Amino acid sequence: MINRRDLIKGTAAVIPAAVGLQMLGTKWAFAADDFSGPVDVLNYALTLEYLEAEFYRQGNQADLLTGKAKSYLEDIQADEEAHVVALKDTIASLGATAVAAPEVDFGSAFKSKASYLETAYTFE
């Protein structure tokens, strides 16, 4: 069983599809009462960015898109990866340790072009 505290502290090793998509869809509401300080907030933001970056990495790797859609979602992946780096650097500059990237299973989000785009649209 996964809980919010595990996500904030970075001790959740694998995030199931339903939880990952819920986190991306609700963003801060998922853990609003669990922060004990700025590093917790940054680590939770980092966890969300890890999820987003991994979602686009897996989706783009599935090679379901072409043309403008492919280019656009590759750009989003690069942006999410840059957010990961920025948050990790910020956490390190505060003398704290960034949470590790969890493994995540997005289930059937990449079974088709339509499911990939619909899932991306839902949490963006």
Side-chain angles (χ1 to χ4, degrees):
M1 172 72 85
I2 203 167
N3 66 50
R4 296 182 307 188
R5 199 89 197 119
D6 290 340
L7 293 169
I8 291 169
K9 292 297 181 187
T11 55
V14 178
I15 298 176
V19 174
L21 293 173
Q22 177 188 8
M23 287 177 67
L24 292 172
T26 60
K27 306 279 188 208
W28 299 103
F30 192 78
D33 298 328
D34 292 328
F35 301 126
S36 64
V39 173
D40 277 356
V41 173
L42 291 169
N43 271 321
Y44 185 70
L46 177 58
T47 300
L48 291 174
E49 295 299 338
Y50 281 143
L51 291 174
E52 291 174 336
E54 183 62 12
F55 173 81
Y56 289 108
R57 188 195 68 74
Q58 288 181 26
N60 292 335
Q61 188 175 39
D63 203 28
L64 300 168
L65 306 175
T66 59
K68 287 184 182 182
K70 180 177 181 160
S71 177
Y72 181 69
L73 274 79
E74 286 173 344
D75 287 347
I76 293 174
Q77 177 186 344
D79 287 348
E80 300 302 348
E81 290 168 348
H83 297 161
V84 167
V85 170
L87 283 163
K88 288 173 75 173
D89 289 349
T90 300
I91 293 166
S93 76
L94 295 172
T97 302
V99 294
E103 291 182 37
V104 62
D105 172 6
F106 289 105
S108 62
F110 312 117
K111 70 180 177 189
S112 69
K113 173 183 174 178
S115 63
Y116 178 26
L117 292 174
E118 183 178 322
T119 305
Y121 176 79
T122 298
F123 69 74
E124 287 297 335

